[in-house]
Amino acid sequence: MTLRRIYLVAGELSGDILGAGLMRELKKRHPGVEFRGVGGPRMLAEGLHGCFALETLSVMGLVEVVKHLPALWRVRRTLTADAQAFQPDVMLGIDAPDFNLGLERRLRDSGITTAHYVSPSVWAWRRGRVKGIARSVDAMLTLLPFEADFYREHRVPVAFVGHPLADEMPLANDRAGARGALGLAPEALTLAVLPGSRASEIRFLGATFLAAAERLCRRFASLQVVIPAATPARREELESLLETLPAGSPARGRVTLVDGESRQAMVAADAVLLASGTAALEAMLCHRAMLVAYKMAPATHWLAKRLVKTPWISLPNLIARETLVPELIQNAATPEAISDTLGAVLGDADERAALEARFARLHAELRRGASARAADAVESLAAGQSVEKDLEESPHD
């Protein structure tokens, strides 16, 4: 069949990237297809007729939510009417679940086929939301395999399309080249330290991570440490932390602070110390041994312990369904525990090599051609076919 009209609603820049990739793939297959909805600069460049600026939903989704609710409801009503008038073959919400799932439900109730691209973390907390998701979408498109397993268990049609980061990042990486680009010694044992991109993460983790790195420098005479600063503000904070090192500290002169370059720093490393989040997935896709540590406000941690229903917090462990990456959370994340655990990893080259090989296999499993497989799923939905059957036969693996 030929797709004529697709309605897309992305709520943030990450969704704009996914939407643009999907649009490019659909245009190759259906040259006359029209796109309408909400997107950012990449989707607009691919030909989306935008009804609202991307920032409309980004701001409403993240800042002063209650204050903006009346405007948010007006936007949702406007998009509902606009999509109903457009009569798309498929309406696809991209991430932004708080906004998109409500829109998808209204459109599905009116007879429009709907899908959602990027699963909310329903598998981790507030699992009862899956009932609402089942009423809102004809299919869920997930980036990660364990997410697809969750939806199958709850009888929600689902397509695991793979992760765009896995498509983007090479299956082989150049450790020596990365060290050269960052000005690091080519043969020295190397630790990358990524305390996070938010000020709160530096506040909770920065001093702990630096103290752990200093202990490791005492243990390994040749260890060099590279710390990427996510932003100029984070660099200032990290520089202030480095100034607190005692004059005789073995870490002085062995810590290299770089601007950005977090992926390059991970490729250069023998092991990575990082905060939980997407950085852990990137470290896995760089095929590097790592330790994940995280601290938060005590009240937040108390609440999270009662709401989160998964045995792990890091994506590598969630994807593998086993503990490949040590996780030290809250009071367990001490400089002593971090340095002892990482020291065992840095001192065992065979263990690191085995872990790198395992991560390379997981990388290959996630490298599915996400945009092509998402396009397969959209075509199947438009044709009234099963998205899972279509992907089983897909040539994009």
Side-chain angles (χ1 to χ4, degrees):
M1 66 172 297
T2 299
L3 296 182
R4 300 166 301 153
R5 293 183 289 273
I6 303 294
Y7 205 86
L8 300 165
V9 178
E12 51 196 89
L13 287 174
S14 59
D16 184 46
I17 294 169
L18 291 174
L22 173 60
M23 290 171 68
R24 276 194 299 275
E25 187 64 32
L26 289 173
K27 286 194 299 182
K28 287 184 210 170
R29 305 179 188 190
H30 309 276
V33 65
E34 297 178 52
F35 300 101
R36 188 174 176 87
V38 178
R42 292 174 178 85
M43 291 172 68
L44 293 171
E46 293 296 334
L48 178 80
H49 180 88
C51 302
F52 292 94
L54 181 80
E55 293 76 17
T56 306
L57 301 187
S58 300
V59 170
M60 290 179 185
L62 298 175
V63 180
E64 297 177 311
V65 174
V66 174
K67 175 183 174 182
H68 287 286
L69 274 177
L72 176 63
W73 290 332
R74 285 195 297 272
V75 171
R76 184 181 282 162
R77 285 196 299 270
T78 300
L79 290 176
T80 299
D82 187 66
Q84 288 170 337
F86 188 57
Q87 282 297 298
D89 298 304
V90 177
M91 178 272 170
L92 189 73
I94 306 172
D95 212 350
D98 291 335
F99 180 88
N100 271 327
L101 287 169
L103 175 62
E104 289 154 11
R105 185 168 180 179
R106 287 162 177 75
L107 294 177
R108 190 175 188 227
D109 287 346
S110 73
I112 292 172
T113 299
T114 64
H116 191 84
Y117 192 3
V118 185
S119 172
S121 299
V122 65
W123 40 268
W125 67 294
R126 290 174 57 204
R127 294 188 173 199
R129 290 178 292 167
V130 73
K131 296 176 182 177
I133 291 171
R135 292 192 292 269
S136 300
V137 301
D138 291 281
M140 176 65 70
L141 278 56
T142 74
L143 306 186
L144 301 169
F146 67 87
E147 297 173 324
D149 292 340
F150 174 85
Y151 285 103
R152 290 188 192 102
E153 289 171 10
H154 290 83
R155 302 182 184 279
V156 177
V158 62
F160 162 49
V161 301
H163 203 293
L165 267 182
D167 297 331
E168 173 190 329
M169 295 174 66
L171 286 173
N173 52 60
D174 182 2
R175 182 181 269 120
R179 291 184 181 184
L182 295 174
L184 300 172
E187 302 298 330
L189 197 63
T190 303
L191 174 68
V193 177
L194 287 80
S197 58
R198 301 182 181 93
S200 61
E201 289 172 325
I202 301 297
R203 185 170 72 253
F204 283 117
L205 295 168
T208 298
F209 278 15
L210 184 59
E214 185 180 25
R215 286 173 62 89
L216 287 165
C217 285
R218 293 184 189 279
R219 178 169 172 178
F220 298 97
S222 65
L223 182 69
Q224 58 186 349
V225 179
V226 57
I227 307 178
T231 65
R234 299 295 84 78
R235 184 183 179 97
E236 287 183 15
E237 292 157 2
L238 290 166
E239 285 174 339
S240 295
L241 280 173
L242 289 171
E243 288 171 3
T244 66
L245 288 171
S249 168
R252 281 194 174 272
R254 285 204 259 160
V255 175
T256 299
L257 193 60
V258 297
D259 295 315
E261 303 287 2
S262 61
R263 195 174 297 174
Q264 191 89 298
M266 289 189 279
V267 171
D270 293 293
V272 182
L273 169 60
L274 45 73
S276 180
T278 304
L281 177 64
E282 286 196 73
M284 187 193 88
L285 296 174
C286 292
H287 316 155
R288 295 297 177 259
M290 73 189 89
L291 183 149
V292 167
Y294 206 75
K295 290 184 178 181
M296 61 200 85
T300 303
H301 181 248
W302 180 88
L303 186 61
K305 281 200 306 182
R306 284 150 182 80
L307 291 178
V308 175
K309 304 298 183 184
T310 63
W312 305 283
I313 66 163
S314 66
L315 284 173
N317 289 341
L318 285 162
I319 292 166
R321 311 309 293 168
E322 64 177 290
T323 304
L324 298 179
V325 174
E327 298 179 354
L328 296 174
I329 310 303
Q330 207 66 1
N331 294 335
T334 64
E336 295 78 13
I338 292 170
S339 60
D340 288 349
T341 305
L342 266 180
V345 175
L346 287 166
D348 191 336
D350 291 339
E351 179 187 344
R352 294 200 308 275
L355 202 52
E356 289 179 9
R358 179 70 187 279
F359 285 158
R361 291 194 296 273
L362 290 173
H363 185 172
E365 290 173 16
L366 294 180
R367 192 182 173 92
R368 311 292 289 262
S371 293
R373 290 172 70 86
D376 291 344
V378 169
E379 289 176 333
S380 292
L381 285 168
Q385 298 171 354
S386 164
V387 292
E388 293 206 55
K389 179 177 183 297
D390 178 80
L391 289 183
E392 285 169 5
E393 300 170 354
S394 169
H396 307 295
D397 291 2

